[in-house]
Amino acid sequence: MILKKTAAGVILLTMMVTGAACSSAPKNTTTSPAPTTSAAASPQATAETQDAVNMKGYISARIAQEKVGFLFGEAKSKDGKLILNPIAADSKEKAVKFLSSYFDAAMADKLAAHYLTEQKADGAIVTSPAEFFPTNLLNTSKADITFDAANTADQVKFTTKDGATYTTKKVNDKFVVTDAAKK
């Protein structure tokens, strides 16, 4: 179910980007005088709209939250306890490294501290079942989100209808979650 929602989000984002590319004016193939518009108009035509940037930030936060569930909430020991997913090889450092693709360093450390316990089961670290995030973004849609009017191309902040605020920032051309809090 979670993978279906994430896949739907990625497909939606791909369709938005493809739609924007396909909706541009067709090129004139006949010979005619050069257009009189300045070169400064071209970057505006290729710039992303803030709505598209906002959606990228929101979808990135949803994917990041799904990855937390994958890492800390899917694998179980023989006796049914939640354990750290084997991809992290039973190491806090590897868990943080995995999370750093979706969260900034401080947030990845907070997540690891929240979920990882001192207990072991089947040779793996037992994870806490307590949710870190104030709202499960995988159960939201764009209609449930209010984007901050001060958002930029490099930072997207949004609030869910139940008052949880998420902040994402662009790092190396992709958005990572930097904060999640409930007011």
Side-chain angles (χ1 to χ4, degrees), residues 53-65 133-138 140-142 144-152 155-169 175-183:
V53 172
N54 287 346
M55 283 307 294
K56 283 183 177 182
Y58 169 62
I59 291 169
S60 294
R62 286 176 55 111
I63 292 169
Q65 201 172 68
F133 297 101
T135 296
N136 185 347
L137 291 177
L138 301 175
T140 64
S141 67
K142 185 180 177 188
D144 301 324
I145 302 300
T146 302
F147 292 102
D148 194 317
N151 285 348
T152 66
Q155 179 175 313
V156 173
K157 186 174 185 178
F158 60 89
T159 305
T160 63
K161 66 182 177 183
D162 63 350
T165 301
Y166 290 80
T167 305
T168 62
K169 289 188 180 176
F175 283 95
V176 295
V177 178
T178 60
D179 191 35
K182 188 151 187 173
K183 295 181 178 183

Side-chain angles (χ1 to χ4, degrees), residues 77-79 81-83 90 119-126:
S77 65
K78 291 176 186 168
D79 61 355
K81 292 181 183 176
L82 289 174
I83 56 173
D90 199 35
Q119 300 173 359
K120 296 259 184 173
D122 298 340
I125 300 172
V126 174

Side-chain angles (χ1 to χ4, degrees), residues 39-116:
S42 294
Q44 291 174 349
T46 60
E48 280 185 302
T49 66
Q50 189 60 49
D51 285 341
V53 172
N54 287 346
M55 283 307 294
K56 283 183 177 182
Y58 169 62
I59 291 169
S60 294
R62 286 176 55 111
I63 292 169
Q65 201 172 68
E66 179 187 17
K67 296 303 180 181
V68 167
F70 169 74
L71 190 62
F72 299 117
E74 283 190 4
K76 291 188 178 183
S77 65
K78 291 176 186 168
D79 61 355
K81 292 181 183 176
L82 289 174
I83 56 173
L84 182 62
N85 195 303
I87 64 154
D90 199 35
S91 161
K92 177 186 176 185
E93 292 76 22
K94 289 187 179 178
V96 169
K97 183 178 178 184
F98 175 81
L99 292 171
S100 69
S101 294
Y102 308 98
F103 299 91
D104 71 353
M107 189 78 168
D109 284 335
K110 283 182 194 176
L111 286 163
H114 175 82
Y115 283 104
L116 298 177

Side-chain angles (χ1 to χ4, degrees), residues 3-69:
L3 290 176
K4 287 181 184 177
K5 288 183 179 183
T6 300
V10 171
I11 290 170
L12 176 65
L13 180 62
T14 304
M15 288 173 41
M16 287 176 22
V17 171
T18 304
C22 292
S23 66
S24 62
K27 293 182 180 179
N28 188 356
T29 57
T30 62
T31 54
S32 62
T36 57
T37 58
S38 68
S42 294
Q44 291 174 349
T46 60
E48 280 185 302
T49 66
Q50 189 60 49
D51 285 341
V53 172
N54 287 346
M55 283 307 294
K56 283 183 177 182
Y58 169 62
I59 291 169
S60 294
R62 286 176 55 111
I63 292 169
Q65 201 172 68
E66 179 187 17
K67 296 303 180 181
V68 167

